[in-house]
Amino acid sequence: MKVLVTGGAGYIGSHVVKVLARAGHDVVILDNLGEGHRRAVVSGRLVVGDLNDRPLVEELLAAEKVEAVIHLAAHSIVPESVVRPEKYFRNNLVSGLNLLDAMLASGCRYLVFSSTAAVYGEPERVPIEEDHPTLPTNPYGESKLFFEAILRRYEEAHGLRFISLRYFNAAGADPEGELGEDHDPETHLVPIILQTALGLRSAVRIFGTDYPTPDGTCIRDYIHVSDLAEAHLLALNALRAGKHSSIYNLGNGEGFSVREVLQAAEQVVGRPIPAVEAPRRPGDPAVLVASSERAQKELGWQPRYADLRVIISTAWNWHRSHPAGYGD
Ligand code: UFG
């Protein structure tokens, strides 16, 4: 199938492209390289461009005869979205609309959308199922929730079919060592811990120690990026097989606190990692843990790297061999 992956040079996108290409799909990547990396493109054909450039998007979809789109291009830093909501709404909504309209114009009707656990906000109950109330605590989560609403309306009006994948905390790196996580600035817990272990940072800051959790730090459900990537392939296959539009949570169903992640990383690297306590970070819910039963049942999704230490080990292998990331 001819598949367009927006944001395919980014952390999750590059892993998705690898899985799709390996399954025999013909992949075109659209990425403005604002956050992605040319060196993260190990298969498929990269077109450097922006979703804001509507004529480019329209031309690309038509010229390439794209049959399905996997849409990952977005801004995704929770604390930044709190202070710069306009950036998140413009990019995640307006650029997304350009894509949808270009899809309609070219007759492309299948979309897999990269959504997030941040749509739920502070959950009333965990593990979180897909029909849990959605009350995002930050503009990032809100932008993704609004886009899901747009997708439903485009389905009703125009017959677009979509699967929205609500990721919990993506972590880890390609087990074959080709791809990894390189953000600038880095804000995510696992890479920050491992960069500290490498001596690239002086200490990990633990954001908030007074949350209503057993050790006072935030609990998250960490999911291996290659397991996430696999779910996109399954979603694409499901749409092609005639599946109706749906939303799926993707996580391992087990939560770990910031302190527990730090301890697991210390076991993986085999030495203590310096950490200091710091105030809460704005926009962070206390606990996010997924129920992914629906994805398992309906898509046949089975995580292969569910163990937190395995997730961290794959990331550690990459960071050790790429201390400067992709080096661009
Ligand atoms: N944290 C620290 N110190 C750090 C970095 C993070 O204590 O230096 C804490 C955060 O406060 C949070 C946890 O570690 O409690 C995880 O933080 P991340 O920044 O790694 O991930 P988030 O949970 O904020 O966000 C990630 C993705 C979002 C997605 C969200 C859904 O970045 O896109 O998961 O849970 F929406």
Side-chain angles (χ1 to χ4, degrees):
M1 205 175 192
K2 185 59 147 298
V3 187
L4 174 71
V5 181
T6 72
Y11 169 48
I12 299 174
S14 60
H15 289 78
V16 169
V17 169
K18 182 167 177 170
V19 165
L20 293 179
R22 187 159 285 176
H25 290 291
D26 186 358
V27 184
V28 184
I29 296 149
L30 179 64
D31 200 300
N32 64 9
L33 299 183
E35 289 164 34
H37 309 272
R38 207 175 275 279
R39 289 193 187 135
V41 178
V42 292
S43 34
R45 187 170 78 77
L46 173 66
V47 175
V48 179
D50 201 295
L51 285 173
N52 278 323
D53 184 347
R54 191 160 159 178
L56 168 89
V57 181
E58 278 178 6
E59 202 181 296
L60 183 65
L61 280 157
E64 295 280 349
K65 300 194 171 53
V66 170
E67 297 168 82
V69 176
I70 301 199
H71 177 39
L72 296 108
H75 293 315
S76 64
I77 301 174
V78 169
E80 185 191 43
S81 78
V82 176
V83 292
R84 293 189 63 194
E86 66 285 358
K87 176 174 172 183
Y88 280 72
F89 292 128
R90 179 160 307 281
N91 189 49
N92 297 1
L93 295 175
V94 180
S95 301
L97 283 172
N98 279 343
L99 174 67
L100 294 186
D101 291 342
M103 286 178 68
L104 296 186
S106 74
C108 174
R109 289 290 182 275
Y110 299 142
L111 181 85
V112 179
F113 176 57
S114 156
S115 186
T116 172
V119 300
Y120 296 110
E122 198 69 67
E124 286 167 11
R125 48 185 188 273
V126 287
I128 301 170
E129 292 175 342
E130 289 81 354
D131 56 6
H132 185 284
T134 45
L135 283 168
T137 53
N138 53 66
Y140 165 64
E142 225 150 37
S143 72
K144 293 287 184 172
L145 187 62
F146 291 161
F147 200 73
E148 287 183 350
I150 291 170
L151 290 176
R152 276 191 216 100
R153 295 300 186 189
Y154 270 62
E155 175 177 38
E156 280 167 23
H158 304 300
L160 178 95
R161 282 201 290 119
F162 69 91
I163 287 184
S164 179
L165 301 175
R166 291 178 176 166
Y167 314 153
F168 282 60
N169 284 59
D174 172 27
E176 293 170 1
E178 269 189 311
L179 305 167
E181 184 166 11
D182 177 5
H183 296 110
D184 183 18
E186 189 54 78
T187 60
H188 295 98
L189 182 63
V190 171
I192 283 178
I193 289 176
L194 297 179
Q195 287 169 356
T196 309
L198 283 171
L200 301 171
R201 294 171 187 267
S202 55
V204 178
R205 283 178 299 159
I206 300 176
F207 292 136
T209 52
D210 59 348
Y211 283 98
T213 60
D215 69 15
T217 66
C218 285
I219 292 180
R220 294 286 181 276
D221 182 341
Y222 293 87
I223 167 168
H224 195 281
V225 64
S226 298
D227 285 334
L228 266 190
E230 197 64 34
H232 293 73
L233 175 64
L234 295 170
L236 197 63
N237 291 343
L239 286 174
R240 195 160 57 156
K243 173 131 189 50
H244 56 81
S245 296
S246 324
I247 292 176
Y248 297 103
N249 287 341
L250 294 173
N252 282 310
E254 201 179 345
F256 293 93
S257 72
V258 173
R259 289 193 204 279
E260 286 171 332
V261 176
L262 194 59
Q263 276 161 16
E266 288 178 332
Q267 287 170 8
V268 169
V269 308
R271 53 180 183 267
I273 300 171
V276 293
E277 295 186 0
R280 287 185 180 198
R281 199 175 63 172
D284 275 346
V287 180
L288 288 171
V289 179
S291 161
S292 298
E293 264 178 44
R294 187 190 280 179
Q296 298 191 10
K297 246 186 241 150
E298 294 187 14
L299 296 178
W301 180 67
Q302 264 317 321
R304 290 166 67 192
Y305 310 101
D307 187 293
L308 181 63
R309 258 167 298 182
V310 173
I311 295 175
I312 295 174
S313 303
T314 59
W316 179 231
N317 288 341
W318 197 78
H319 284 285
R320 256 191 316 183
S321 53
H322 299 75
Y326 286 104
D328 47 4

